[in-house]
Amino acid sequence: MVKKLMRSFFVYIVIGCLLFSYGAQTAFAAGYSSYIGENSLTSAEQAVVVPLSEFTSADGSSYLNKIDDKPVVYTSETDTVTWYVDVPVAGVYQMELTYYTVKGKGDSIVRQLQIDGELPFDEAASIRLQRMYTNGEIAIAENGDELRPQQLEQPGWSTVRLTDSSGYIGEPFSFSLEAGKHSISLVSIRETMAVGALRFVPKATTVCYAEIEKDLENGATNIQPFLIEGEAATLKSDMTMYPLSNQSSYHVSPSDPSTIRLNTIGGEKWKTVGQWLEWEFDVEYSGYYCIRVKAQQTFNMGQPSYRRLYIDGVVPFSEADCVRFEAEEWDVTTLGGTQEPWLFYLEKGPHTLRMEVTLGELRELIVQVGDSMDNLSRIYREILAEVGHDADPNRDYKLDESI
């Protein structure tokens, strides 16, 4: 068993609140639930690659090209691009998309997904794909204050499994495909992008931490703790998540009593499901590390905020899908708890850490509340259809029988 006294690294970061909305999106989750409920196929075991070059463009504005010597299909913001694929074995698949964020208008990319010319479920009508941004150079004013850096779009590759933009569905979409030929269409709703690969892959499975912990070996004892400053995020999904100055506590670093120092990131700008921040770091010694995050959560008073944790682009275990933060004052949160912290094995060399906003433990509750509101609205409409806008107080409408 790994010694519990392990070295750790710290990330100073402001944890923002979550954004909850109950509108028409609650009906979307029911659409996907119905689709999954009607599915009788078993999970696929092999991936199916969609031939990239076999596509049609509805208006002719999309075309085949190359980026970094890799073939891509440029898709405009007005076109519908359709690919054709032969599925050898019927089963349940998830869709993996590799895309390149070509420079556009600075908004997130939105596509509608159609399979065989139809929406498989309502959520597929609007799938949001994130751009990437980075900080420009931090300038110093004449009085020594640090000035907010310009936010620069960072074109680059991303590989994602298509998922629900609202966050109500806690895993990537699953698609039920019969054996045979199928068409896959991406209908442009907003922004251009270059598609590098489309694959139908088996459903992702993630083990729990207890399974990983059983296989942990004694860690290296000569590893050194190291620090990552939160405001130095390498990449982000939104240009509004720029470094901020917080002088409310001496616990925040760097700090200066007389000048402004940009020493935090996130806050109210980091609250929408799907937004993420990513840090690159180098590990000097291979070994097991725990992660401690200095954070303050004052934007969602009385409720925690949740983040999904990625190490090198992967959620390492199921518990990391829902990391809870609730400190209302600046405090250090040890991931997994101070008594039994989660341990992460990191090889010497470069790594990435990403934290993404998620609904976490509140997701099921929010979906239940949304479904209840939909049911109340349905009952109200049925009552209105029976009694009209001007109900007769002397008439028994027998609503218990008609509704």
Side-chain angles (χ1 to χ4, degrees), residues 109 116 240 265 288:
I109 302 164
D116 297 328
T240 62
I265 196 168
Y288 291 95

Side-chain angles (χ1 to χ4, degrees), residues 28-102:
F28 288 176
Y32 181 72
S33 299
S34 299
Y35 175 82
I36 292 299
E38 296 169 357
N39 168 51
S40 60
L41 297 176
T42 59
S43 180
E45 297 181 357
Q46 298 292 329
V48 179
V49 178
V50 178
L52 189 67
S53 60
E54 297 180 14
F55 72 94
T56 60
S57 172
D59 65 8
S61 60
S62 299
Y63 56 92
L64 193 65
N65 206 328
K66 282 190 175 184
I67 296 178
D68 298 335
D69 291 327
K70 299 177 182 178
V72 296
V73 176
Y74 273 91
T75 63
S76 71
E77 60 180 350
T78 60
D79 197 10
T80 296
V81 182
T82 302
W83 290 267
Y84 301 91
V85 61
D86 282 309
V87 176
V89 180
V92 176
Y93 297 82
Q94 293 178 345
M95 181 177 285
E96 188 177 85
L97 169 67
T98 298
Y99 67 98
Y100 189 91
T101 53
V102 297

Side-chain angles (χ1 to χ4, degrees), residues 18 20 167-168 170 303-308 318-319 321-326 342 357-368:
L18 301 176
F20 302 142
Y168 293 153
Q303 295 184 18
S305 291
Y306 299 91
R307 296 296 182 269
R308 179 177 291 120
S318 57
E319 290 86 347
D321 195 64
C322 179
V323 182
R324 181 186 180 108
F325 295 92
E326 51 189 333
W342 295 335
V357 179
T358 177
L359 296 180
E361 298 168 338
L362 300 179
R363 181 181 61 83
E364 291 187 9
L365 177 61
I366 293 171
V367 171
Q368 291 175 7

